[in-house]
Amino acid sequence: MVRQAAIAQSSIGYAITGLGACLVLLAQDLQVRPEQLAWLPTTFGAGLLVVAPAGPYLLRRGSRLSLVAGALLIAVGAILLATAAAVPVAAAGALLLGIGGAAFVLVTPAMLAGPAAAGRLTTVIGLSSAAAVVAPLAIGAWDTTGVGTGRLALLVIVPPLAVLIFDVCRRPSPLPAPAVATVDGQGMRRGPVVRRWGVVVLAVSVEFCFTIWGVARLTGAGAGTGAAALLSTAFPLGMACGRLAGPWLLSRLPVVPAGAAVTAASAVLMVAAGSPVLVTVGLAGAGLGVATLYPVTLARLVGTPGLSAAHAASIGAFASGTAIVAAPAALARLADVADLRLAYLVTLPLLAAMLVLHRRG
């Protein structure tokens, strides 16, 4: 199960980050303004909101359907995006990537539910973050070769997805049952579920504020567009390091309060910084800080007594979709009123609210 989840999460990290990196190349190749394609990355969040309610039905018979369907959709979506010669084709590819990625996000926590869920989720999501670092570098490197468009680097994920389909069909993984059937003899209580759902929403909101608007903050600090794109990889690199070290940290630190503190300090640094170098340091620190927030809070939601793995995965996917669609847009609206530099301060009350709900949950 861990191997299958690792391939799935690595594919998401590469494909979704690659989609963001492809925007400029798509605009150039299709002769449209980049602003006309800025909505493409939101298809991932929209896919989560569409797929999440169907989670209990998709996962009723195990993980096979979600894994195979997700792999096929992501592979086809990557092929369409890599070869698109028109905006409708690229849009279809992005939509398939979003829905396929949503299927993977849905099934992963259900597959890894159990006493060791936090460590296993942190590891496989760490692999996703590592793949997210590789994607823009691979796309940029391919584009410099002059052999077709750099978008062709998206095709790198097709062979691993084929291996995943073969492995799933050969060895399907059953989903674990809930650890506790009832709570206080009255069945599952909604209060803890709602609070833990809110914690996941806030954790993912903070993460995607840095993910989506890191390049813009770097350009505002004086970096050129190309340099900003390169320097922005400091954030996923920090996340990858923090998540791969997550299982070691879990046994030594209260990772949610510690991660929130590091993230808050990094956000303040990004607001105060006047140079691209300091903003990059802030992005790297924020990546380290948020690294364990999502997997640990998601594991806590999945481990809610009386909540089945399938229902927990569905609720977690809906939480992620809500955050991915809403948070970057909200930060953009704040930036219209104030400078983006100051808008990053919104992450501080989000982190504070997350800590309050985490303690009460």
Side-chain angles (χ1 to χ4, degrees), residues 281-309:
V281 173
L283 282 172
L288 284 170
V290 304
T292 55
L293 297 184
Y294 170 61
V296 170
T297 57
L298 179 61
R300 197 177 192 204
L301 173 62
V302 172
T304 302
L307 190 62
S308 70

Side-chain angles (χ1 to χ4, degrees), residues 207-307:
E207 178 180 327
F208 267 77
C209 284
F210 290 101
T211 299
I212 301 300
W213 294 108
V215 174
R217 178 66 189 95
L218 282 162
T219 56
T225 304
L230 180 61
L231 293 173
S232 68
T233 59
F235 179 71
L237 184 60
M239 277 204 303
C241 293
R243 284 172 174 168
L244 293 176
W248 181 84
L249 293 172
L250 283 169
S251 62
R252 291 166 174 81
L253 289 173
V255 290
V256 173
V262 172
T263 305
S266 300
V268 171
L269 174 60
M270 289 183 62
V271 171
S275 71
V277 173
L278 290 178
V279 173
T280 302
V281 173
L283 282 172
L288 284 170
V290 304
T292 55
L293 297 184
Y294 170 61
V296 170
T297 57
L298 179 61
R300 197 177 192 204
L301 173 62
V302 172
T304 302
L307 190 62

Side-chain angles (χ1 to χ4, degrees), residues 14 129-139:
Y14 190 95
S129 298
V133 177
V134 174
L137 300 177
I139 291 170

Side-chain angles (χ1 to χ4, degrees), residues 7 21 59 91 114 126-127 136 145 156 162 166 173 178-179 186 191 205 220 235 252 262 268 312 331 348 350:
I7 296 175
L59 302 177
L127 295 175
T145 65
V156 167
F166 175 78
S173 300
Q186 302 296 323
S205 296
F235 179 71
R252 291 166 174 81
V262 172
V268 171
L331 188 67
L348 302 184
L350 292 179

Side-chain angles (χ1 to χ4, degrees), residues 21 92 112 168 197 254 288:
L112 302 181
V168 170
W197 177 85
L288 284 170

Side-chain angles (χ1 to χ4, degrees), residues 26-258:
L26 271 168
Q28 176 183 306
D29 296 340
L30 305 182
Q31 297 183 342
V32 298
R33 292 184 296 108
E35 292 80 3
Q36 293 179 254
L37 303 175
W39 57 271
L40 287 179
T42 64
T43 54
F44 180 41
L48 283 168
L49 294 178
V50 170
V51 171
Y57 303 98
L58 292 173
L59 302 177
R60 181 175 294 172
R61 296 185 178 180
S63 60
R64 176 184 288 186
L65 177 60
S66 293
L67 286 173
V68 172
L72 287 173
L73 289 172
I74 291 177
V76 174
I79 292 170
L80 290 178
L81 274 167
T83 59
V87 172
V89 177
L95 183 60
L96 292 178
L97 273 184
I99 297 175
F104 280 173
V105 170
L106 175 69
V107 74
T108 299
M111 292 171 64
L112 302 181
R120 290 186 291 188
L121 278 170
T122 302
T123 298
V124 299
I125 296 173
L127 295 175
S128 176
S129 298
V133 177
V134 174
L137 300 177
I139 291 170
W142 192 309
D143 198 55
T144 60
T145 65
V147 181
T149 174
R151 291 183 284 132
L152 292 174
L154 285 175
L155 299 179
V156 167
I157 63 171
V158 175
L161 290 171
V163 171
L164 175 62
I165 293 173
F166 175 78
D167 192 49
V168 170
C169 292
R170 184 170 61 93
R171 294 195 309 175
S173 300
L175 299 182
V180 181
T182 60
V183 179
D184 294 338
Q186 302 296 323
M188 181 192 68
R189 291 180 297 182
R190 293 185 179 180
V193 175
V194 172
R195 284 192 291 269
R196 293 177 185 190
W197 177 85
V199 172
V200 175
V201 171
L202 293 167
V204 177
S205 296
V206 172
E207 178 180 327
F208 267 77
C209 284
F210 290 101
T211 299
I212 301 300
W213 294 108
V215 174
R217 178 66 189 95
L218 282 162
T219 56
T225 304
L230 180 61
L231 293 173
S232 68
T233 59
F235 179 71
L237 184 60
M239 277 204 303
C241 293
R243 284 172 174 168
L244 293 176
W248 181 84
L249 293 172
L250 283 169
S251 62
R252 291 166 174 81
L253 289 173
V255 290
V256 173

